Amino acid sequence: MLCFSSLRDQPPISQFLLYFDLKMIFARYAVALALCASTSTAFVAPRNAGHGVQVIAPSDRVVSPLMTSTLSKPETETEAPEPAVMRPPINLKWDKIAQQLVDVFGYSQTEVDMYAGEVENSKEVLMQIYKALQLNRGFENACNQQYMQGKIRGFMHLDNGQESIPALVDYAIKTGDKKYSYYREHTHALASGVDAGAIMAELFMKETGTCKGAGGSMHIFDKPTYFQGGWALVSEQLPYAAGAAKSILLDRKLGISDNEKYEKHDVAPPSDDDRISVVFVGEGGAQNGRTAELLNSAAKDNLPLLLVVIDNGRAINTYTGDVATNGAVYQQGIHYGIPGLLVDGQDAADVAKGGKAVIDYVRSGKGPAILQVHTYRFNGHSPADPEHERGRKEEKAWARVEQDPIKIFEDKYTANGMFTEDELKEMKKQVLNDVKAAVKFADESPMPPVELAKQLEYPDAPDTDYNLKPAPAFADAVNARTISPEKMATITAHIEMLRNKAIAGDISIGDAINLAIHEEMLRDPTTTIHAEDLQAGSSYDIPKLTQQTYGQIRAADEIIDEGHFIGKALGEGMNGYRPIVELMNTNFGIFGMAELSSAGNTYATTGGQFDMPMTIVGAGGTAPNQSLGAEHSQPFHAYVMGIPGLKICTAASPDAAYGITKSMIRDNGPCFLFAPVKMMKEAKGKVELGVCAPLNKSVLLHKASDASVAAGKAVTVLTYLHGVKEAQLVTDEIMEEGFDIDLIELRSLKPLDMDTIRKSLERTHKVAILDESTLTGGVGATISARISEELFDLLDAPVRRLCMDDAPVPYASSMEVAVVKRGSDLVKGVFDLITKKY
């Protein structure tokens, strides 16, 4: 055990932490002895056992050298008894916060004093803070009342006790800043300037709500204030905020900005543009790996991004120290060169002072930063939670009495004479009247019409003709100022070479997609691209020469985590850009299921406020003799079929890949193009240059003869990806047997082209599906069900599914033949359909 004499050799903060730990060790040892003396059962930790009770972090944590002199405990505090709660207050006074700003952020003492004076010496600022505290408390109390009355439904998460954070937002965050919150976001929206009536109406599921009743409590969005969520999955908002921060840098680099309709136009941001992206996360959610990815990305690109960590000591209701080792989230940026500040959330003025200094650090272009606010949440995770977790109810009861930031503010500023009690009461009265008005507005508002749900499925209708969409008028001007003549000459020659291949019928699928991407990136400079190994062209040359032409700002090499850069693309898409995500192998998209799901939901969830342009492309599927093993042979196209809002297409030829890619980039919603992994370089063909393909149509590649139809010897064959090649290889064999097929390539899996299927079945009355997904939950299962439900009267035989077995795809071809279907299976399937009596 460390002896007390060794404390003298430690830095001040380490002295305090070591002292604190030793004190806790002896206290717990005494409790253990008492327990052992009274019972023979095993030792049980006392209520205050845990990791998160120290000022910064327990002494067995790594403490940054940057922080070793900043938070030593004042002598007057060492004698105070510790509260009998799991998570005692940190009692972090302004002088210790100020020292952090000097030591970690490089501020001078004069500058720190200025931040303090701007708050403490201004009655107007202090009243602004108090008004925000009361508005947020009053609004959340009203929400709780309306929830109990059944007017607010679903899940709801309240912010009582943490009002100092939205008060900071109200004081220091600007309208043009991008704000990304999580599911406990009512107060963040209020503080960002979103109308209280519209927020309450959204909670009431009314048409006048921020999202027309489509979002609800966890999904508040407001375009005019750049309030961009409201996201329900823990920590998913982190990469979105990085993408939003990237959009600010893109605006500056390209010299474009939002007009009054929040559309990009050829006007550069002002020279003093200091917008930032702000993202909120709980300290429990900050343990998610997305935090490390965010910090890496923010540091690498010097993003104007602030991570606000709301540290209430609870991951849902569970004491965070029970499930997480490092409670000092503000120190997690040290390895990335990102500074962090810890403040005590019970003093709203100190949060405003310290928070404003950190925000200004980010605004000044010095890079990202972290602000951790130690606070207490007075309510459970949601009104529906039982709160059986260790110590939760006792902690809430104590915190409401001892740690109320509103009461602390009132006591402090009436005691020093800044305000009279009557002044504060009058402000509270005004605020509560505003809250009552918001409730009344929501109560009297109409419900949204039933038709709105389907209208919010896609930003662009499935039958959109993308050839008619105009290019931005500023394209030539932006290209001229961002692409050098030498680079333009290089890319022009590259495009010309690919076009010549396309005309000659010698272009591959990968090159066709690359050609479409370059044409669209030049046509619309708001188009960006993200990929792993992007500089090298990835595996199939899809992003070839993009970074070399458009620079790293528009063509970003990414870390090996698809969820992170799909998330960044989502943030760019919400802020006026058209990101392309190249996945190399589409199965890698499994890492991004949360982000893909939210991309599909965003347009609807926001009530149609935010388009979600995003093109995801990659090689996938399962070919016979693929020899890639189970993980590279998963039917990811089937996995994403159930995500609402996605348009999902396939391309088994260069022409299809080219035309579909161009349309997807122009679409205002999220689109996913699957290309066949084993045909990316081997399939060659001609391309109809400059033409966008529909995103809702299948294509009849081979039509059965009228004679075979009349003789009842024709079958409709539906397939896609490698199935197209397999079917084409055996078409002659089928015809030699006296049969024939309508071969339909399912270029659009979602929405499904039922019209083309119907027209074929009106001729053949029999259908076989050569499916590159599994028996259970596969694409073929969906198609079969729809045919049986909608076209049953046209069938003379059951739908024949030729699909992958449910077993994982083996590497060895001798086993793989039992799992993956091929042309020979199609021949047999057609034969059985025609010859078998039903």
Side-chain angles (χ1 to χ4, degrees):
M1 181 178 289
L2 182 69
C3 64
F4 277 105
S5 61
S6 66
L7 286 173
R8 288 192 297 268
D9 299 325
Q10 302 296 319
I13 182 60
S14 298
Q15 291 179 26
F16 166 65
L17 295 177
L18 289 168
Y19 163 76
F20 190 90
D21 270 3
L22 289 170
K23 178 179 176 182
M24 294 297 294
I25 288 169
F26 291 141
R28 292 172 188 172
Y29 184 66
V31 172
L33 289 175
L35 286 171
C36 291
S38 62
T39 177
S40 60
T41 59
F43 169 64
V44 179
R47 284 190 304 122
N48 64 344
H51 298 288
V53 297
Q54 289 85 353
V55 170
I56 302 181
S59 60
D60 59 345
R61 309 289 179 261
V62 176
V63 179
S64 165
L66 294 173
M67 299 302 300
T68 54
S69 63
T70 61
L71 292 178
S72 55
K73 194 171 182 181
E75 292 183 7
T76 55
E77 296 177 35
T78 58
E79 304 303 322
E82 297 292 346
V85 292
M86 293 174 65
R87 188 168 176 267
I90 61 174
N91 294 322
L92 188 62
K93 303 305 180 186
W94 173 248
D95 61 331
K96 300 299 182 285
I97 297 170
Q99 194 63 50
Q100 292 181 73
L101 292 173
V102 172
D103 292 348
V104 180
F105 286 84
Y107 281 109
S108 68
Q109 188 60 52
T110 300
E111 290 169 326
V112 172
D113 291 343
M114 179 191 69
Y115 281 107
E118 286 178 354
V119 174
E120 298 292 353
N121 299 331
S122 173
K123 188 170 185 176
E124 180 182 1
V125 169
L126 288 169
M127 185 58 84
Q128 179 184 354
I129 292 170
Y130 183 69
K131 179 180 180 181
L133 294 173
Q134 286 290 4
L135 175 62
N136 289 291
R137 176 70 59 82
F139 189 90
E140 295 293 72
N141 286 343
C143 288
N144 196 41
Q145 293 168 1
Q146 300 306 311
Y147 187 87
M148 297 305 174
Q149 295 177 29
K151 293 181 180 180
I152 298 174
R153 304 183 65 186
F155 295 123
M156 183 181 72
H157 310 85
L158 300 176
D159 207 30
N160 298 56
Q162 304 182 150
E163 290 85 0
S164 61
I165 297 162
L168 168 65
V169 173
D170 184 89
Y171 170 57
I173 299 300
K174 300 179 181 180
T175 299
D177 295 331
K178 324 283 188 176
K179 302 97 175 172
Y180 280 79
S181 190
Y182 60 141
Y183 47 77
R184 197 182 307 279
E185 88 283 31
H186 310 160
T187 63
H188 303 156
L190 274 173
S192 298
V194 184
D195 180 74
I199 298 172
M200 189 66 74
E202 186 61 34
L203 273 60
F204 274 49
M205 60 182 72
K206 297 299 184 70
E207 189 177 15
T208 56
T210 56
C211 303
K212 301 181 181 178
S217 172
M218 294 184 286
H219 304 288
I220 303 297
F221 291 84
D222 185 65
K223 204 162 191 176
T225 59
Y226 289 91
F227 192 79
Q228 301 179 345
W231 302 90
L233 301 178
V234 172
S235 302
E236 67 163 315
Q237 70 275 13
L238 298 181
Y240 308 162
K246 184 77 174 290
S247 76
I248 296 172
L249 299 185
L250 281 162
D251 285 353
R252 296 170 185 169
K253 176 68 175 180
L254 301 181
I256 58 180
S257 60
D258 293 350
N259 61 19
E260 66 279 359
K261 296 181 179 179
Y262 308 100
E263 298 169 342
K264 298 300 179 189
H265 66 153
D266 193 20
V267 175
S271 58
D272 61 349
D273 177 31
D274 63 357
R275 291 172 297 156
I276 66 172
S277 178
V278 184
V279 60
F280 303 89
V281 68
E283 92 290 347
Q287 306 298 328
N288 192 294
R290 286 179 176 85
T291 302
E293 295 162 356
L294 175 77
L295 296 175
N296 175 74
S297 175
K300 180 176 69 72
D301 290 332
N302 201 45
L303 296 179
L305 185 141
L306 173 66
L307 174 64
V308 179
V309 181
I310 304 168
D311 178 10
N312 54 46
R314 293 284 163 174
I316 307 179
N317 286 308
T318 299
Y319 180 48
T320 309
D322 289 347
V323 295
T325 298
N326 179 22
V329 182
Y330 73 105
Q331 291 184 340
Q332 288 188 19
I334 290 170
H335 302 296
Y336 304 95
I338 297 176
L341 180 75
L342 175 67
V343 295
D344 190 341
Q346 307 324 112
D347 191 320
D350 283 358
V351 173
K353 293 180 289 189
K356 178 68 159 53
V358 174
I359 289 166
D360 285 351
Y361 174 92
V362 180
R363 288 199 192 284
S364 68
K366 294 178 181 176
I370 305 171
L371 176 69
Q372 182 167 348
V373 185
H374 184 284
T375 185
Y376 294 89
R377 173 161 45 86
F378 295 168
N379 299 81
H381 178 66
S382 80
D385 286 317
E387 298 181 37
H388 293 155
E389 286 79 3
R390 185 165 68 94
R392 182 69 182 110
K393 292 181 180 179
E394 295 89 342
E395 180 185 79
K396 286 195 314 179
W398 166 80
R400 284 171 176 160
V401 175
E402 301 293 338
Q403 295 297 309
D404 187 342
I406 295 180
K407 184 176 184 302
I408 290 171
F409 184 98
E410 291 172 340
D411 290 346
K412 178 179 179 180
Y413 291 105
T414 54
N416 69 8
M418 180 64 73
F419 299 111
T420 66
E421 291 185 4
D422 288 342
E423 286 177 306
L424 297 182
K425 286 180 181 178
E426 179 59 29
M427 175 54 71
K428 181 178 180 181
K429 180 180 178 181
Q430 293 176 21
V431 164
L432 292 181
N433 285 336
D434 292 342
V435 172
K436 288 179 182 178
V439 173
K440 184 174 186 292
F441 171 79
D443 210 18
E444 295 175 353
S445 294
M447 295 288 284
V450 66
E451 296 82 10
L452 181 61
K454 191 63 177 175
Q455 294 170 9
L456 293 175
E457 183 178 13
Y458 299 119
D460 289 346
D463 61 353
T464 297
D465 184 349
Y466 299 94
N467 295 290
L468 303 180
K469 285 204 165 190
F474 54 72
D476 290 342
V478 172
N479 287 338
R481 61 178 175 252
T482 58
I483 304 174
S484 69
E486 294 78 15
K487 290 180 179 180
M488 184 62 78
T490 299
I491 196 59
T492 300
H494 177 71
I495 289 172
E496 188 64 22
M497 178 269 294
L498 292 178
R499 286 175 175 170
N500 289 334
K501 281 190 171 185
I503 294 170
D506 194 34
I507 194 170
S508 68
I509 292 175
D511 282 346
I513 297 173
N514 178 249
L515 173 59
I517 286 172
H518 280 296
E519 289 179 347
E520 294 302 309
M521 291 188 79
L522 289 172
R523 175 185 177 274
D524 185 348
T526 65
T527 307
T528 65
I529 187 167
H530 302 258
E532 298 159 352
D533 210 26
L534 178 138
Q535 293 178 62
S538 192
S539 293
Y540 305 104
D541 286 344
I542 288 174
K544 184 177 181 179
L545 289 183
T546 52
Q547 188 172 105
Q548 292 88 338
T549 303
Y550 313 107
Q552 191 175 7
I553 190 74
R554 286 181 63 192
D557 252 321
E558 296 289 356
I559 61 169
I560 305 176
D561 190 310
E562 287 71 15
H564 173 73
F565 59 86
I566 291 173
K568 283 205 297 189
L570 188 153
E572 289 179 11
M574 290 185 71
N575 287 281
Y577 288 88
R578 295 188 173 276
I580 302 164
V581 174
E582 196 267 338
L583 290 181
M584 195 177 297
N585 188 292
T586 54
N587 291 323
F588 302 157
I590 290 171
F591 278 97
M593 285 297 288
E595 291 77 12
L596 287 172
S597 175
S598 289
N601 289 325
T602 296
Y603 178 70
T605 300
T606 66
Q609 287 184 82
F610 288 89
D611 290 339
M612 191 59 257
M614 182 193 297
T615 300
I616 304 166
V617 60
T622 309
N625 298 310
Q626 186 161 287
S627 301
L628 293 178
E631 288 194 274
H632 277 65
S633 303
Q634 298 179 82
F636 193 60
H637 45 288
Y639 297 0
V640 299
M641 280 283 283
I643 297 177
L646 292 184
K647 291 177 182 171
I648 303 171
C649 293
T650 70
S653 66
D655 187 55
Y658 171 85
I660 290 171
T661 298
K662 290 178 74 71
S663 293
M664 285 186 165
I665 295 171
R666 298 184 191 188
D667 191 272
N668 285 319
C671 302
F672 206 136
L673 175 61
F674 290 85
V677 65
K678 296 297 284 186
M679 298 168 58
M680 293 298 292
K681 295 180 179 179
E682 71 174 48
K684 303 289 181 67
K686 291 187 177 182
V687 165
E688 189 175 1
L689 294 172
V691 177
C692 296
L695 300 182
N696 67 329
K697 288 296 179 182
S698 297
V699 175
L700 181 64
L701 299 178
H702 174 85
K703 185 175 182 179
S705 67
D706 291 339
S708 65
V709 170
K713 294 185 177 182
V715 173
T716 297
V717 174
L718 307 176
T719 192
Y720 56 95
L721 295 177
H722 305 94
V724 173
K725 176 184 175 182
E726 292 294 309
Q728 289 175 328
L729 287 174
V730 298
T731 298
D732 288 344
E733 182 180 345
I734 291 171
M735 293 173 67
E736 288 170 2
E737 295 292 331
F739 311 135
D740 209 344
I741 61 174
D742 270 4
L743 177 57
I744 296 175
E745 180 184 2
L746 298 172
R747 292 185 180 177
S748 176
L749 296 181
K750 185 178 180 182
L752 188 62
D753 181 6
M754 293 299 292
D755 288 339
T756 297
I757 297 172
R758 178 185 294 105
K759 289 176 183 177
S760 178
L761 283 178
E762 286 172 348
R763 302 176 70 238
T764 67
H765 305 291
K766 302 177 187 69
V767 60
I769 306 172
L770 183 55
D771 183 16
E772 221 161 302
S773 61
T774 49
L775 176 69
T776 303
V779 171
T782 298
I783 297 170
S784 175
R786 289 200 57 184
I787 291 173
S788 298
E789 293 168 1
E790 300 175 33
L791 306 176
F792 182 78
D793 291 344
L794 297 177
L795 296 175
D796 288 345
V799 176
R800 185 64 181 269
R801 281 201 290 148
L802 308 167
C803 55
M804 292 167 55
D805 190 81
D806 282 341
V809 178
Y811 169 68
S813 56
S814 60
M815 292 188 289
E816 181 248 45
V817 71
V819 178
V820 179
K821 297 299 183 287
R822 58 205 68 216
S824 57
D825 296 295
L826 179 60
V827 174
K828 185 178 184 302
V830 170
F831 180 85
D832 288 346
L833 274 172
I834 293 173
T835 60
K836 189 174 180 179
K837 302 299 182 183
Y838 293 97

